[in-house]
Amino acid sequence: MDTTSQSVKRSRSLLALAGFGLATAGVAWYGSRYSRGGSHDTWYRQLAKPSFTPPAEVFPVVWVSLYAMIAWSGWRIWSAAPSRERKHALRLWISQLSANAKWSKLFFGEHRPTLALADAIALEGMIFSYMKAARKVDRAAANAFIPYAAWVAFAAALNAEIARLNPRRAQA
């Protein structure tokens, strides 16, 4: 491969990485519209929460890291040689990102912790499906989702406990 071809390939790859980053950032932005400010903050502050609820400052730090790994993982799969497995993994990557976006709207935007919990459980399933499919294409891409799977499991437990502690506010 000559230098020009390598340069074009590298540029396409960087553009693809930027695209995966923008898609993931778009989901983060969408979720943040529902989780910050005004009535969302008031509603959340008034909920009874379990003792294992992290301080508010933890969430942005965790999510920035997770979103970076999500984008990188998707890009790694995209960068692999075309195959049925790659195509399947990319579809699952998009599905989990969609479910991720929906959780904040259900929980903070619509104040429906029970529906948000169902979404979190579905998201966890999608994450594991993606990891299984991604492992066939790129082990590092699959492993990048391990912290995400752990966080979503923790978040689902937190969500379940909030729904249990706030039965009137948790109705679906």
Side-chain angles (χ1 to χ4, degrees), residues 13-148:
S13 185
L14 289 175
L15 282 172
L17 178 57
F20 278 92
L22 285 171
T24 306
V27 166
W29 171 81
Y30 179 82
S32 73
R33 290 178 41 220
Y34 296 103
S35 60
R36 286 191 278 152
S39 65
H40 307 309
D41 281 347
T42 303
W43 175 80
Y44 183 73
R45 276 196 308 269
Q46 292 174 351
L47 292 174
K49 292 177 220 54
S51 60
F52 60 90
T53 303
E57 299 80 25
V58 169
F59 293 97
V61 173
V62 169
W63 277 111
V64 165
S65 303
L66 293 176
Y67 282 135
M69 287 187 282
I70 289 167
W72 180 82
S73 178
W75 172 74
R76 290 275 304 200
I77 295 299
W78 178 86
S79 297
S83 67
R84 278 190 12 234
E85 290 82 10
R86 174 184 169 255
K87 192 174 188 177
H88 180 63
L90 287 171
R91 279 194 201 115
L92 289 167
W93 186 88
I94 291 166
S95 295
Q96 65 75 29
L97 205 58
S98 175
N100 179 309
K102 196 163 57 169
W103 185 89
S104 292
K105 183 177 186 222
L106 291 170
F107 189 88
F108 290 107
E110 297 179 10
H111 304 165
R112 299 182 82 179
T114 304
L115 280 180
L117 177 59
D119 182 72
I121 292 166
L123 173 58
E124 189 74 1
M126 289 177 208
I127 290 169
F128 281 110
S129 293
Y130 169 78
M131 290 171 66
K132 182 179 177 185
R135 188 165 306 283
K136 295 175 184 176
V137 179
D138 184 309
R139 186 176 285 289
N143 289 344
F145 265 51
I146 293 170
Y148 181 32

